[in-house]
Amino acid sequence: MDTSFFLAWINAIATAVQAERDHLTQLDAAIGDADHGANLDRGFAAVRQALTDAPPQTPGAVLTAAGSALIRKVGGASGPLYGTAFRQMGRSLGDAAEITPEALAAGLEAALAGIQKLGGAAEGDKTLVDALAPAVRALGRAVQDGTKLTDALAATEAAAQEGARATVPLEARKGRASYLGPRSVGHEDPGAASTVLIFAALREAAGQA
Amino acid sequence: MKKLINSVDAVVTDTLRGIAAAHPSLRVDVENKVIYRADAPHQGKVGLVSGGGSGHEPLHGGFVGYGMLDAACPGEVFTSPVPDQMIEASKGVDGGAGVLHIVKNYTGDVLNFEMAAELCADEGIEVASVLVNDDVAVQDSLYTAGRRGTGATLFVEKIAGALAETGAPLAEVARVAKEVNERSRSFGVALTAGTVPAAGRPTFELPDTEIELGIGIHGEPGRTRTSHREAREIARLALDAIDDDVALSGDTLVLLNGMGGTPLMELYIVYAEVAAYLEEKGARAVRSLVGNYVTSLDMQGFSVSVCRLTDELTRLWDAPVETPGLRWGR
């Protein structure tokens, strides 16, 4: 996976977020403040702009630049959280021009660690961690087993999707939905839903490569 | 839903353009989204910076001016501002005595202000932060995001601003800000939800016969829903929640705050019940404010905030203030 692969990934995320903007906002209206779709759409539009204005030369630089743009433009909790995730992943990839599946898995582990350190959420708190953590585990397992990359990323996306669906019966303990207490039960977490889009885009980028 | 806007994406910048045109006492950086006192920075004075999502006007931009904030950073509607804004604002108001960040306790606001404070430190600006978390509707625990910052934010900004105006050092201004927060409690009630321009319809639906108790200021639904009833009983529900958390007694400062879509007449009807309730508890509302100060777009409803005063806090509350949203004594 080279720089153009990672640019394709980020572009696919931006496209998916734009397409799902209203859906994400509706999920957020149910248990939050009805802006998740609009915020991420604005953020990834800024990411696209940043990557066009100053095209990064390595996969790590693509992700670091994307993360910085998210922190600078999104606001809310999702800006710093997703921004930190991409920056940590970018840092983990280092200066390498070509990323192995092992390095990709390690990078996503770094992303998860960064989000958890900043936001303090654990699995089961009804946050994006509920989609991200199982996806990271699924990729780690698939890579260890030597699974073909496209299959590994399909399994990763499926794990994220399952994790997001599993947030429905949970009571939120972190983030804005936590203010609802038991009334947050019965709704999918919008952050988990947007995390699924990120992994769907990753699988898509691998399919095109 | 009809809205007086030009376009959904320009809501915040168009608001800032209006604030700039209406208030020559302010300097508005529309591009970086920061509202300053026109005469900032003040040498030797602690700079007060606050910020948060838009949609709560006059909070925070309407409280920039003499005796209150030095700068405010408006985010998108109901979305915390980004670190770049707080850094820009902090640089713009630092008169060498340091900067106090007044942060409402929401995950997004806390994360963005934390990042900003770190970066300010890198640039040699001394920053102290105070977290406002006055909303008793949220159960506070180590395992949640904690209580929200709501109406008491106005108390903190006014009282800390008054102390800063006297030339008090950063640690003192931060101390009084924390004290105001600790002595304040709030509770909110909605009759209808507000409509976020980008969403185009109310964040939640409330039937004519029901009200939402324990709402925040972002249109997030509250903890419980109950049947609509007389103003007297609704005021009692709100104050019982506060009194259960910390017994109401002594001299108090009361904010009866409209959420944006409720007529002042109804706010006064509720306020009469609030004053009577306090008297019943042996407490007194010696200072009060009734009106739309910490709003949630066009939500109908109110929040009530009570601060148990000390002589120092009363004196600082009474000190002159001159901002678009609050002015007296100057």
Side-chain angles (χ1 to χ4, degrees):
Chain A
M1 289 162 276
D2 58 7
T3 303
S4 64
F5 172 91
F6 284 90
L7 286 170
W9 178 25
I10 299 292
N11 265 315
I13 298 172
T15 305
V17 164
Q18 197 171 28
E20 292 296 313
R21 173 185 163 127
D22 290 346
H23 176 60
L24 292 175
T25 291
Q26 279 161 22
L27 290 176
D28 196 24
I31 54 172
D33 56 357
D35 63 7
H36 191 53
N39 285 345
L40 281 192
D41 189 23
R42 187 177 68 253
F44 278 98
V47 167
R48 262 186 175 151
Q49 189 65 46
L51 297 179
T52 313
D53 289 350
Q57 301 305 313
T58 64
V62 170
L63 299 181
T64 309
S68 299
L70 290 174
I71 290 173
R72 296 173 77 105
K73 292 295 175 191
V74 178
S78 53
L81 290 170
Y82 276 133
T84 297
F86 281 106
R87 283 178 57 85
Q88 292 298 335
M89 188 173 177
R91 191 176 297 180
S92 158
L93 299 187
D95 298 332
E98 184 67 32
I99 303 303
T100 64
E102 289 77 12
L104 182 72
L108 281 165
E109 267 171 38
L112 172 63
I115 279 189
Q116 288 193 291
K117 182 160 175 260
L118 188 62
E123 280 185 83
D125 284 347
K126 199 179 181 99
T127 71
L128 66 89
V129 170
D130 290 323
L132 180 57
V136 169
R137 276 197 300 274
L139 180 61
R141 267 197 312 272
V143 168
Q144 211 168 24
D145 296 348
T147 312
K148 199 173 100 199
L149 184 66
T150 46
D151 293 342
L153 292 178
T156 306
E157 181 192 355
Q161 214 148 36
E162 201 177 310
R165 262 199 301 271
T167 62
V168 174
L170 296 177
E171 179 176 333
R173 287 197 293 257
K174 284 279 188 281
R176 207 160 269 178
S178 69
Y179 303 133
L180 273 74
R183 289 175 78 193
S184 61
V185 170
H187 301 277
E188 182 176 345
D189 179 67
S194 58
T195 295
V196 173
L197 298 182
I198 291 173
F199 285 106
L202 184 58
R203 191 246 317 132
E204 210 178 288
Q208 287 163 357
Chain B
M1 180 65 67
K2 285 182 277 192
K3 292 264 177 196
L4 287 169
I5 60 175
N6 297 316
S7 83
V8 165
D9 293 327
V11 166
V12 176
T13 43
D14 285 355
T15 304
L16 287 174
R17 286 175 41 231
I19 290 173
H23 302 294
S25 63
L26 304 177
R27 180 164 59 82
V28 181
D29 181 342
V30 176
E31 202 196 324
N32 291 310
K33 297 201 178 83
V34 183
I35 301 169
Y36 299 94
R37 275 170 74 165
D39 53 0
H42 282 255
Q43 281 313 310
K45 179 181 122 37
V46 170
L48 268 67
V49 173
S50 192
S54 293
H56 309 305
E57 293 69 23
L59 187 85
H60 297 269
F63 300 142
V64 175
Y66 179 87
M68 226 164 157
L69 298 176
D70 293 273
C73 312
E76 292 297 320
V77 174
F78 292 170
T79 302
S80 83
V82 295
D84 284 8
Q85 287 170 270
M86 292 86 142
I87 296 163
E88 195 69 21
S90 302
K91 280 189 203 161
V93 306
D94 182 27
V99 176
L100 181 69
H101 287 175
I102 298 172
V103 187
K104 302 197 296 303
N105 188 31
Y106 299 94
T107 310
D109 294 67
V110 171
L111 292 180
N112 285 283
F113 267 102
E114 267 177 18
M115 292 193 163
E118 277 177 31
L119 294 165
C120 283
D122 290 350
E123 303 212 14
I125 301 174
E126 191 186 358
V127 173
S129 298
V130 57
L131 210 57
V132 185
N133 58 352
D134 52 311
D135 178 19
V136 302
V138 176
Q139 246 142 40
D140 198 6
S141 104
L142 280 176
Y143 306 103
T144 66
R147 288 182 163 171
R148 296 173 286 211
T150 59
T153 313
L154 181 150
F155 298 161
V156 173
E157 292 177 358
K158 166 68 186 82
I159 290 174
L163 186 62
E165 215 62 63
T166 68
L170 180 58
E172 267 298 288
V173 179
R175 177 210 42 93
V176 88
K178 283 182 183 127
E179 187 181 350
V180 173
N181 176 57
E182 278 159 17
R183 300 182 74 90
S184 301
R185 298 289 188 280
S186 300
F187 191 86
V189 178
L191 309 188
T192 65
T195 298
V196 176
R201 57 175 180 214
T203 305
F204 55 89
E205 295 291 343
L206 263 177
D208 276 351
T209 52
E210 292 185 2
I211 58 173
E212 188 95 15
L213 297 180
I215 45 115
I217 56 173
H218 298 98
E220 61 269 45
R223 281 191 91 82
T224 51
R225 195 168 276 200
T226 186
S227 56
H228 186 39
R229 52 195 81 185
E230 285 178 355
R232 183 175 298 124
E233 289 179 50
I234 297 175
R236 183 164 288 278
L237 287 172
L239 287 164
D240 277 346
I242 292 176
D243 189 52
D244 283 349
D245 193 68
V246 52
L248 292 166
S249 66
D251 287 355
T252 62
L253 159 63
V254 179
L255 166 63
L256 198 289
N257 173 61
M259 301 310 294
T262 291
L264 202 46
M265 187 181 80
E266 292 175 37
L267 297 182
Y268 275 111
I269 290 172
V270 175
Y271 186 75
E273 304 305 333
V274 168
Y277 181 103
L278 287 171
E279 208 163 298
E280 203 180 289
K281 292 280 171 183
R284 279 201 315 154
V286 296
R287 299 290 184 276
S288 61
L289 206 54
V290 179
N292 292 291
Y293 291 99
V294 183
T295 60
S296 185
L297 294 171
D298 49 356
M299 178 186 274
Q300 289 178 15
F302 71 92
S303 65
V304 56
S305 301
V306 183
C307 176
R308 290 166 303 133
L309 287 167
T310 62
D311 289 347
E312 182 195 26
L313 299 188
T314 307
R315 198 175 64 245
L316 291 168
W317 177 258
D318 288 341
V321 59
E322 191 172 350
T323 70
L326 210 61
R327 56 174 68 203
W328 57 68
R330 193 172 185 228

